[in-house]
Structures are given as C-alpha cells and as structure tokens.
Amino acid sequence: MSQPEQKTKVQYTKEEKKTLSKTIEEVFIRFTSSLKTAQIFEPNNIAFQQQIKPLFFLIQSLLKNLGKAILQFRGNALFFNTIRIRIDFHSYQRFKFLVGEFKEKEIEAIGFDPDLTAEELTRFIVIFAQSKQKKLKDFEDFIGAMESQGISNIFIEKLNPYDLSTRMTPEEIKRSCKKVFLKSIVHLQEVMEREKKHEKIHFKTTRRLIQSIINMISFDESFMLGMTNIKNFEEYTLNHSINVTILALCFGRRLGIEKSELLELGMSAFFHDIGKLDVPIEVLNKKGKLDDEEWKLMQNHPIDGLTKLVLLQDLSYFPVRALSVAYEHHIWADHSGYPKTWKKKELNFFSKIAKICDVFDAITTKRVYRDFSFTREQALSMMFEKVGEEYDPLLLKVFANMIGQFPVGTLVALNTGEVGIVVETNPEEVYLLRPKVKLITDNEKNKIDGEIVDLAEKDAESGQFKRTIVNTLNPEKYDVNIPDYFLAQATG
Ligand SMILES: [Fe+2]
Ligand SMILES: [Fe+2]
C-alpha cells in the first residue's frame, strides 16, 4: 500500500494499546453502520449523517496519530493498519457483512489519505453501499465510479490473486485480461493528454491498472502475452507502451522479481516513452529516412522523458527507477545507442529489461512507414545477432525462453496438415517445441473453429506424438488475423 509510512515505530503502553484498539473497533462499527444506512437512506438524511460524521472524525484522528489509515481484509480477518480487529459474538454479523462486501467488490484494502474530506468519504460510502443498484460488477467498475466522483484521497487495492482466481472461470479471466488491456490504453491516452496540458497525472490509477495487469498475468500468462499481438499501428505509442508493460511484467516474474518491485517495473515500462510526446507525429510516422534534424528530435525522447518525469509535482506514487528507464532504454549494453553517456556506469536493471521488451515489440509491429513486421521468431533471432553489444546476454536468454521457440500468437503448420495458432507455451523445457495450439483449419485446409490441442500429447497405442509443428506460417499470407482470435476469446 502506498500510504506514507509511519515515521517511527511507536511503543505503546498497555493503556494506549487498549485505547487504540477501542478506537479501531469504533471505526469498524461506524464503517459498517454507515454502509448499512447508506443502503436505505439518502446521504443528506439525518440517520446517515449521524454515522458518517463520527466515522470521519475517527479516521482523521487515527491519520493524525498513526500517519496512515488502512482497513484491510487478509487471511479471513480484518485489520486496521496492522492491528487485527477483534470479533466476538456481538460483532460477528457485522464482520460477516463487511467481509462479504469486500469479497464481492474484489477489494483487499481501503486506504485513506490525510487530505480526505467529509464529502469525499460520504461519496465513497454511497458508491460502496449502492454498488448493486449502480450495477458495478467488479473492481474495475468500482474504481471507475470512484474516479467519476472525484474521489482521490481514498484508494482501494485488489484482493490478492489467489483469492480472486479461485472465484473466476477461465472465460471470466480472459474477459478481465481484455478489459484491463483496453483500460490501460485509454488511461495512457488520458495521461498523455493531461501531460500536454500540464495537468496533474493520476498515478494512483496507473498503479491500480498495473496491479490488475500483474494479477491477470498470474492467472493466465499466456493469454496476457497473447494480448500483446494486438497492434494498432496508428496509435503506435499507446499500444506499444502497454505491450512493453505486459512483456516487462511477464519477464520480471520469470526473473523472480517481487510483487512490490513488479509494480515499479510496470510503472517504469508504462512511462518509458513519455518523452515521445514532444516528437511531432510527422516525424514518428515518417515514411522513409529521417533527416538529421528529425533524427535529433527522435533521439531526444529519452532526455525529454526524463525531464518530464522529474518535473512532475507529485512523485509520491511514482518510482524513482522509472526515471532511469525513461532515460536509458535506448542505451545498449556496451554503452553505445542514445543518449550518449560520458560515464559508462552500470545501467539500471529495469532499463535492461525494458530495452529488450521495447525492441521486441517494436520490430514485431507494422508501422505506418513500414508495411511489414517481423514474426516473433524472426525478431528473436535478429536480437540474438546483437547479444552482448545491444542486450544483456543472460537477460536475452531468459526472455527468449519466455517467448518460446513458437511464441504465443504464432501461426503453425502441423504434420497432420492442420493449421493452428499457438495459444500457450509449454512450461517444461523438454516440450519447448510442443506448445498448445488452437486449430483453425482441418487437414484439408478448410477453415474450422477447432479445439485446442496439446502437442505434447502422445497416441496411446503407438506412443508417438499426435501432432508436431513442421513450419511457421505468415498470418498475412494465410489471411489470418491473430489479434482477432485473442479478442474473440475474451468476449461473450
Ligand atoms: Fe523509446
Ligand atoms: Fe519504446
């Protein structure tokens, strides 16, 4: 949670502890009572006011004394900051009610900022209590409602992936993947428009979206990687930035980066090309070679990105490492590339990750000025030609393993005559060449909406593999739209 940390660890006397526990229990009681009354009464009703006012003052006093105020549902218990709320026979119904509300909205924690106003708290309680009437189905809808009500001093975090995934069907997970992907694009567009007008950027929203991407990757990594096949070459920077974020997060997970650090990696990737805002669209999309002046503008985007991020007023929800990534993501492992650096200091680890994901997405995307793109395997082999010079050797190897010999989204011909799309790579090293494939033609090349087959599957009698990849195919030549396949999987 990104609240200001408690400055010093206070040692409470027994008496103080008792008072604190009592105040926290009081918050719990007022919070549930406010929700219940808001389900029945209008916000200006006296019964509601009688609950919300004391709740507001209690939260304020706790913020003043403890520096943070977070109500959290963890391991089937409720906590306020780190203090467990005691539940007894009398409070059990309240506890059940509140836990039910948290689970339904997929919320793990609610945090209050010191600038919280009574009006904001009222609006929040009303949205929370009336979510069913307002048809807010999940966490993302709830966040959207909070934003539209201008609630910026309360933030919520999503229930941890394990609790959540056990309640979602594979189809629901795919739908959520698509939703998060599209929401991230819309949010980045908004960020860029705000940045152009020098307006405040809502980093809390960015953090929540990155958190959702991380959750979705932990549910269905292959599908989330599949989403990076979606390329909108006219809005290149938007799609590209989200694709780089997804690739970097999948990559970071493989590298064993911790969850809290993954959030920082995602934020860094999300903003890596923010400096491109200053490059005119005619230069970004120019067909043909850039002249010296245009090339200079292009090469300046890492410096512009760094400047933009440094000048942001509110860096409290922003990782400092994102500044390095914005500045260093075009610097090569041997320190060539751009911008030119005087000192050959070690590049930030996140910059090395972003560099690989950045190039991979760029060369697998068709551009306005280039009417072809490289397939994923072509891209990897091109990148390996510059291993050591441009890319960190060890990292590139891990990345290539993640993408797989036949990456998700590759169109493949099978020895049976069938054609299919790779939808999931096989995690076992010995089966790297045997991913899961969605069949799109039968063995006579008639188009079908076929099943998903596992190429590691053997025929029971002969002991031979049932299907094997013989070749990769160019989707354009076969008139197959890979992104459409992934989008279709996530609708309905
Ligand atoms: Fe860039
Ligand atoms: Fe980029």
Side-chain angles (χ1 to χ4, degrees):
M1 182 122 308
S2 0
Q3 284 273 342
E5 283 303 309
Q6 210 173 326
K7 284 171 194 86
T8 48
K9 203 163 180 151
V10 188
Q11 291 295 324
Y12 296 109
T13 63
K14 223 174 172 186
E15 205 48 43
E16 281 171 331
K17 251 191 196 163
K18 221 169 142 189
T19 319
L20 188 60
S21 294
K22 254 191 127 188
T23 317
I24 285 170
E25 266 163 48
E26 182 79 15
V27 170
F28 165 61
I29 291 170
R30 293 286 180 191
F31 192 81
T32 48
S33 299
S34 302
L35 285 179
K36 286 186 171 175
T37 29
Q39 284 174 341
I40 309 164
F41 299 110
E42 289 298 312
N44 54 5
N45 183 286
I46 185 95
F48 181 67
Q49 290 295 322
Q50 273 172 352
Q51 299 297 338
I52 200 94
K53 274 186 187 153
L55 174 66
F56 176 67
F57 289 121
L58 280 165
I59 293 174
Q60 270 204 325
S61 84
L62 286 168
L63 276 168
K64 220 167 137 198
N65 292 326
L66 306 176
K68 61 178 178 181
I70 301 161
L71 187 59
Q72 192 176 25
F73 170 58
R74 182 162 31 102
N76 233 3
L78 279 170
F79 292 80
F80 195 88
N81 291 350
T82 50
I83 300 163
R84 188 177 174 146
I85 299 173
R86 279 188 306 135
I87 305 299
D88 56 21
F89 177 72
H90 300 289
S91 54
Y92 183 70
Q93 284 307 327
R94 276 179 194 281
F95 169 77
K96 235 176 101 181
F97 163 73
L98 193 57
V99 167
E101 292 287 320
F102 268 55
K103 280 190 176 171
E104 194 185 277
K105 296 174 181 58
E106 303 168 351
I107 291 175
E108 182 185 281
I110 303 172
F112 303 93
D113 267 354
D115 294 336
L116 177 73
T117 64
E119 291 71 38
E120 250 180 316
L121 182 62
T122 304
R123 287 199 293 271
F124 177 77
I125 295 288
V126 171
I127 297 174
F128 201 108
Q130 298 180 356
S131 57
K132 272 200 198 97
Q133 290 102 298
K134 293 193 188 329
K135 298 202 168 47
L136 307 178
K137 283 199 215 98
D138 58 19
F139 185 82
E140 306 300 333
D141 287 348
F142 194 72
I143 291 269
M146 281 175 69
E147 273 161 20
S148 68
Q149 289 281 315
I151 298 169
S152 58
N153 290 304
I154 301 175
F155 53 96
I156 55 176
E157 295 236 335
K158 205 164 182 166
L159 202 63
N160 81 53
Y162 179 74
D163 292 347
L164 208 61
S165 65
T166 52
R167 298 188 303 114
M168 285 170 94
T169 63
E171 291 71 31
E172 282 170 339
I173 290 172
K174 286 187 172 61
R175 276 201 292 276
S176 289
C177 287
K178 180 185 160 193
K179 213 166 154 185
V180 171
F181 180 84
L182 298 177
K183 273 197 170 208
S184 304
I185 290 185
V186 172
H187 174 63
L188 182 57
Q189 187 160 31
E190 194 192 298
V191 163
M192 291 192 152
E193 273 157 22
R194 282 182 165 272
E195 170 59 33
K196 266 189 214 159
K197 293 189 238 159
H198 304 291
E199 289 175 1
K200 201 175 167 199
I201 296 174
H202 301 302
F203 290 124
K204 283 184 208 166
T205 310
T206 322
R207 289 176 70 96
R208 282 185 209 121
L209 280 168
I210 306 280
Q211 188 59 58
S212 299
I213 296 177
I214 296 172
N215 289 350
M216 288 305 139
I217 291 172
S218 64
F219 297 167
D220 194 339
E221 189 193 48
S222 292
F223 194 76
M224 213 54 200
L225 273 175
M227 296 301 283
T228 65
N229 281 282
I230 300 169
K231 317 270 192 182
N232 179 345
F233 69 106
E234 275 166 27
E235 291 284 4
Y236 171 72
T237 307
L238 293 179
N239 267 68
H240 166 70
S241 300
I242 306 305
N243 289 346
V244 171
T245 304
I246 295 171
L247 288 168
L249 287 171
C250 293
F251 193 8
R253 266 181 96 228
R254 297 277 167 133
L255 294 165
I257 294 176
E258 263 184 46
K259 205 179 158 193
S260 60
E261 298 227 335
L262 276 183
L263 190 62
E264 297 206 348
L265 174 62
M267 292 283 281
S268 308
F270 192 86
F271 288 100
H272 81 279
D273 266 342
I274 191 88
K276 280 203 178 158
L277 266 180
D278 290 340
V279 184
I281 192 86
E282 307 81 67
V283 176
L284 286 175
N285 289 341
K286 188 180 172 185
K287 291 184 182 176
K289 238 184 150 191
L290 299 180
D291 65 30
D292 285 354
E293 197 52 36
E294 290 163 339
W295 185 227
K296 221 169 130 190
L297 276 170
M298 192 63 148
Q299 286 198 326
N300 230 29
H301 85 266
I303 298 169
D304 290 338
L306 172 69
T307 317
K308 279 187 193 311
L309 297 179
V310 168
L311 290 177
L312 290 171
Q313 284 155 1
D314 181 14
L315 280 174
S316 47
Y317 295 93
F318 199 77
V320 179
R321 271 184 283 191
L323 309 183
S324 303
V325 172
Y327 182 72
E328 294 176 343
H329 71 276
H330 287 283
I331 302 180
W332 290 22
D334 65 4
H335 288 90
S336 54
Y338 63 90
K340 293 275 168 273
T341 46
W342 301 111
K343 277 190 195 158
K344 301 215 180 309
K345 75 171 184 60
E346 178 77 13
L347 298 174
N348 190 294
F349 186 53
F350 282 6
S351 303
K352 295 182 193 172
I353 292 177
K355 167 106 190 82
I356 291 174
C357 302
D358 179 63
V359 175
F360 181 76
D361 185 67
I363 56 181
T364 52
T365 305
K366 228 200 257 179
R367 300 294 305 276
V368 173
Y369 55 77
R370 184 184 71 204
D371 56 5
F372 68 95
S373 60
F374 295 100
T375 66
R376 300 187 147 216
E377 22 155 18
Q378 282 169 335
L380 284 179
S381 74
M382 279 162 68
M383 287 169 80
F384 268 105
E385 283 171 24
K386 290 197 179 144
V387 69
E389 276 165 76
E390 188 166 352
Y391 314 101
D392 181 291
L394 201 64
L395 286 180
L396 188 60
K397 219 175 144 204
V398 179
F399 184 79
N401 261 341
M402 174 182 92
I403 298 296
Q405 189 90 0
F406 297 111
V408 173
T410 307
L411 190 67
V412 290
L414 305 176
N415 61 345
T416 51
E418 297 157 305
V419 172
I421 299 171
V422 175
V423 291
E424 199 176 318
T425 47
N426 204 321
E428 284 179 59
E429 193 116 358
V430 284
Y431 289 144
L432 270 182
L433 304 178
R434 304 202 160 272
K436 284 188 183 157
V437 168
K438 154 93 181 167
L439 298 176
I440 61 162
T441 81
D442 61 17
N443 49 13
E444 281 166 1
K445 302 284 183 293
N446 301 310
K447 279 202 173 171
I448 53 163
D449 182 15
E451 50 176 339
I452 293 178
V453 292
D454 188 344
L455 301 196
E457 210 182 307
K458 286 183 179 171
D459 186 84
E461 272 180 32
S462 66
Q464 301 291 315
F465 287 111
K466 283 186 176 173
R467 295 173 175 88
T468 299
I469 296 174
V470 287
N471 210 352
T472 58
L473 305 168
N474 185 337
E476 280 174 23
K477 276 193 197 152
Y478 283 80
D479 196 24
V480 177
N481 190 323
I482 304 285
D484 277 359
Y485 164 75
F486 286 97
L487 287 172
Q489 283 287 295
T491 38

